Amino acid sequence: MSQLDVITIGRAGVDLYGTQIGGRLEDMGSFQKYIGGSPTNIACGTARLGLRSGLISRVGDEHMGRFILEELARHGVSTRGVAADPDRLTALVILGIRNRDSFPLIFYRENCADMALCEDDIDPAFITSARAVVATGTHLSHPGTEAAVLKALGIAREGGLKTALDIDYRPNLWGVAGHGDGESRFVESAAVTARLRDTLHLFDLIVGTEEEFHIAGGSTDTLAALRAVRAVSDAVLVCKRGPMGAVAFTGAIPDDLDQGQAGPGFPIEVFNVLGAGDGFMSGLLKGWLDGEDWPTALTYANACGALAVSRHGCTPAYPSWAELQFFLSRGVTRPDLRNDAALEQLHWATNRHGDWSSLRSFAFDHRLQFEEMPGFTPEKAGRFKELCLKAALAVADGRPGYGILCDSRLGRDALHAASGTGLWVGRPTELPGSRPIELEPELGPDCGQLAQWARDNVVKLLVFCHPDDDPKTRDAQLATVHRLFTSARRNGLEFLLEIIPSKVAPVGDDTNAALIRQFYAAGIFPDWWKLEPMSSPAAWAATVAAITENDPHTRGIVVLGLDAPEADLAASFRIAAQFDLVRGFAVGRTIFGDAARAWMLGQMDDDAAVARMQDRFARLCGVWDQARQQGGQRA
């Protein structure tokens, strides 16, 4: 069995998308950074749809190159064929959305890393590990990269692999248009036509817009161009026709484009055409490689293209397989898909990166508890939280499934040091002890400061609430939570909601379930729930049911500690671990409490404090793992 389904070859760069919609590229004031380049987009797009994908390219041996490699890995794309070039920089594209018809972009690709791709970069064993190889047009524009592509295609065809070409014609990347004409999609060139025509016989599938077939076939008459391509290639030809959908031709070209095989189009609002073709190609490849008929494959392709043109960015806009199936079964309910709440929630929830099916978290985000300790100073607290991080990293030892909770008011240095370590990092936002809930002033009145947070930080909010709250208190708290949740989503940050009803009023088996339904009814969909230990399996069952009926794609639940003794935590873990949706724990004072008090008074040095916290955290992790194993679930 092949290790991969598809390998793409060609461009790999970073897209900087202007965030101001409707402005000139000259006037953009801020940008979103995304992975980019047609083959890279397709590799990620197919991976989201469940195909096992790989990429062959080069990136710079620098920050942007590492971003691409890490982002590919987060998508599950094999990077075995991506080389880090020590001499060249990663390609860069700056893009904008001017209006519904204009999408200006500038390619920064002078001597870029991916254009140094050469025959030596093509590993025959890697090629033959896949079922199909996909090339894109830009890498046929230069003798060196063309040689690399032709070598890969030769190996693929000798090995019986499928081959495909996305024509992806960019005139300025072929040198027939200027740097300021990045948006141009067609300039006639006999030289380009000749270069493309020499390779067309190597493919089983050729995909392009009408303009791209014009350049491949050497005619601005689409039927004539298709016939010219057919004269040199037996490939299935798929012609994209914009809002009219797409058609596939498996044999002779008929007298009318409408006589090709087609899939249904989707009446949606066009927001951003950049990258839509790569989304289309991802859906088409999914259908093709799964053995679907052409109308079905084109349905996938058209739907993926529709979702892509409705959102900001290229790769981030592409759907997951679950999202695509939902869209196809439910249909279009509003043309501006990016404002379809149900679709956007599913898009978010099924495209999150990282496996956090188990989470053992050391919580030292406390502020009030530290401030009340004898000997406290803000500087001491900050240094102590760095010791907490040191203990957490020692227990994790580079393994997945470990995390911390740390604040930025007292623990800023530890918080910043934790980013990029592989730890799950939760960061509190509530003013400690407030009810109705108030947010830390540093967030700003509109939570706008979340834009400055590291992207691996998880927004954590603790709310003291109860189903019996009076309407005024309940509505005020829900409004605050919704404001923060909305800002977290806007900034691409996951959201953890912690609820503690026992500090407000007596609780029963249905208390948490009732609260959880209130939050979902208010349009709040936490990625994570942090809940009190519950001694009743019935309470856990009711809680899990309330979550899964509203959001089957949630990350899960972590159990908090409330400064409980280790024996009590062990008992609560044994009950919670019976439920798969409970992913782990987030415990703090049980781990750091006595060490912090002694350290603040100078009665314990740094090494002793780290050793004690490391021992206690490790023991709790062992207690959880044992409880999970006894509960019959995977640790």
Side-chain angles (χ1 to χ4, degrees), residues 326-344:
F326 172 80
F327 179 67
L328 292 175
S329 63
R330 190 207 60 175
V332 177
T333 60
R334 56 183 301 168
D336 52 339
L337 299 182
R338 68 191 177 281
N339 294 316
D340 182 325
L343 190 60
E344 287 302 290

Side-chain angles (χ1 to χ4, degrees), residues 73-425:
R74 283 189 282 265
H75 277 84
V77 174
S78 171
T79 59
R80 176 178 163 185
V82 183
D85 190 318
D87 301 318
R88 297 169 181 83
L89 293 173
T90 302
L92 175 68
V93 185
I94 297 180
L95 316 91
I97 302 174
R98 181 71 175 93
N99 52 48
R100 68 182 64 190
D101 300 312
S102 179
F103 307 90
L105 68 160
I106 305 170
F107 290 97
Y108 290 83
R109 296 183 51 80
E110 188 70 28
N111 195 32
C112 69
D114 71 55
M115 288 303 290
L117 191 74
C118 66
E119 291 182 86
D120 290 342
D121 294 319
I122 305 302
D123 176 6
F126 184 52
I127 294 292
T128 55
S129 72
R131 293 197 291 138
V133 171
V134 178
T136 56
T138 300
H139 272 56
L140 297 172
S141 67
H142 185 276
T145 55
E146 181 187 44
V149 172
L150 293 179
K151 178 181 177 181
L153 291 171
I155 295 168
R157 293 182 69 82
E158 288 176 11
L161 280 66
K162 294 183 176 183
T163 56
L165 171 68
D166 188 333
I167 300 170
D168 186 38
Y169 180 44
R170 300 283 186 169
N172 67 333
L173 300 186
W174 282 82
V176 295
H179 292 309
D181 295 322
E183 190 177 0
S184 172
R185 295 305 180 99
F186 182 73
V187 174
E188 288 187 272
S189 169
V192 173
T193 297
R195 181 74 66 86
L196 287 173
R197 188 173 293 179
D198 286 344
T199 66
L200 297 179
H201 65 285
L202 298 174
F203 298 100
D204 303 306
L205 172 66
I206 299 174
V207 181
T209 62
E210 291 191 54
E211 291 82 5
E212 287 169 340
F213 274 107
H214 293 170
I215 194 69
S219 172
T220 55
D221 179 299
T222 302
L223 288 171
L226 288 166
R227 289 182 179 125
V229 172
R230 172 59 74 231
V232 296
S233 174
D234 294 328
V236 175
L237 308 182
V238 174
C239 182
K240 297 181 286 187
R241 304 175 67 194
M244 299 174 67
V247 287
F249 302 100
T250 58
I253 306 303
D255 294 331
D256 190 325
L257 292 178
D258 291 334
Q259 294 176 7
Q261 297 186 63
F266 299 91
I268 53 93
E269 174 195 273
V270 175
F271 177 68
N272 170 34
V273 302
L274 301 172
D278 302 332
F280 176 97
M281 189 68 171
S282 299
L284 189 71
L285 289 170
K286 171 65 174 174
W288 185 44
L289 294 176
D290 280 359
E292 304 288 358
D293 58 28
W294 285 109
T296 300
L298 289 167
T299 299
Y300 292 172
N302 289 337
C304 289
L307 290 163
V309 300
S310 68
R311 293 169 173 154
H312 196 263
C314 298
T315 291
Y318 303 153
S320 66
W321 178 244
E323 180 186 353
L324 178 61
Q325 294 304 297
F326 172 80
F327 179 67
L328 292 175
S329 63
R330 190 207 60 175
V332 177
T333 60
R334 56 183 301 168
D336 52 339
L337 299 182
R338 68 191 177 281
N339 294 316
D340 182 325
L343 190 60
E344 287 302 290
Q345 166 59 23
L346 188 58
H347 179 70
W348 170 271
T350 57
N351 286 306
R352 286 180 297 229
H353 295 312
D355 176 9
W356 293 108
S357 53
S358 185
L359 179 56
R360 311 157 188 88
S361 188
F362 180 7
F364 49 91
D365 57 325
H366 306 68
R367 287 139 290 164
L368 186 61
Q369 292 86 346
F370 275 98
E371 291 165 352
E372 292 175 343
M373 289 181 182
F376 164 85
T377 67
E379 292 76 19
K380 280 186 178 180
R383 292 201 304 275
F384 185 80
K385 293 194 177 200
E386 292 182 74
L387 301 181
C388 293
L389 173 62
K390 188 175 181 180
L393 288 169
V395 173
D397 193 26
R399 296 171 296 173
Y402 293 84
I404 64 167
L405 282 164
C406 183
D407 64 295
S408 61
R409 193 205 305 170
L410 299 177
R412 181 178 299 273
D413 290 343
L415 177 72
H416 291 176
S419 288
T421 61
L423 291 174
W424 179 95
V425 181

Side-chain angles (χ1 to χ4, degrees), residues 509-553:
D509 287 352
D510 294 324
T511 302
N512 273 334
L515 282 171
I516 285 165
R517 289 189 175 96
Q518 284 183 5
F519 286 107
Y520 282 125
I524 298 161
F525 287 76
D527 301 277
W528 294 93
W529 291 93
K530 187 181 178 195
L531 304 176
E532 295 179 271
M534 290 176 272
S535 59
S536 162
W540 274 114
T543 298
V544 168
I547 294 173
T548 53
E549 72 189 27
N550 285 282
D551 183 10
H553 300 286

Side-chain angles (χ1 to χ4, degrees), residues 388-538:
C388 293
L389 173 62
K390 188 175 181 180
L393 288 169
V395 173
D397 193 26
R399 296 171 296 173
Y402 293 84
I404 64 167
L405 282 164
C406 183
D407 64 295
S408 61
R409 193 205 305 170
L410 299 177
R412 181 178 299 273
D413 290 343
L415 177 72
H416 291 176
S419 288
T421 61
L423 291 174
W424 179 95
V425 181
R427 181 171 171 179
T429 55
E430 73 278 353
L431 204 59
S434 59
R435 175 176 152 83
I437 187 68
E438 295 181 48
L439 302 178
E440 283 275 16
E442 67 177 22
L443 293 175
D446 60 351
C447 305
Q449 294 306 305
L450 289 181
Q452 297 180 4
W453 281 30
R455 285 297 180 88
D456 62 355
N457 288 182
V458 175
V459 178
K460 173 253 178 185
L461 179 65
L462 164 59
V463 184
F464 295 102
C465 53
H466 195 278
D468 295 336
D469 281 341
D470 64 89
K472 182 178 179 181
T473 299
R474 182 187 64 238
D475 292 347
Q477 297 211 124
L478 286 173
T480 300
V481 177
H482 192 275
R483 184 169 76 253
L484 181 66
F485 165 73
T486 302
S487 183
R489 282 290 175 86
R490 184 185 305 119
N491 288 285
L493 300 167
E494 292 191 25
F495 182 74
L496 180 150
L497 183 58
E498 177 180 2
I499 55 175
I500 302 183
S502 69
K503 300 294 186 182
V504 179
V507 300
D509 287 352
D510 294 324
T511 302
N512 273 334
L515 282 171
I516 285 165
R517 289 189 175 96
Q518 284 183 5
F519 286 107
Y520 282 125
I524 298 161
F525 287 76
D527 301 277
W528 294 93
W529 291 93
K530 187 181 178 195
L531 304 176
E532 295 179 271
M534 290 176 272
S535 59
S536 162

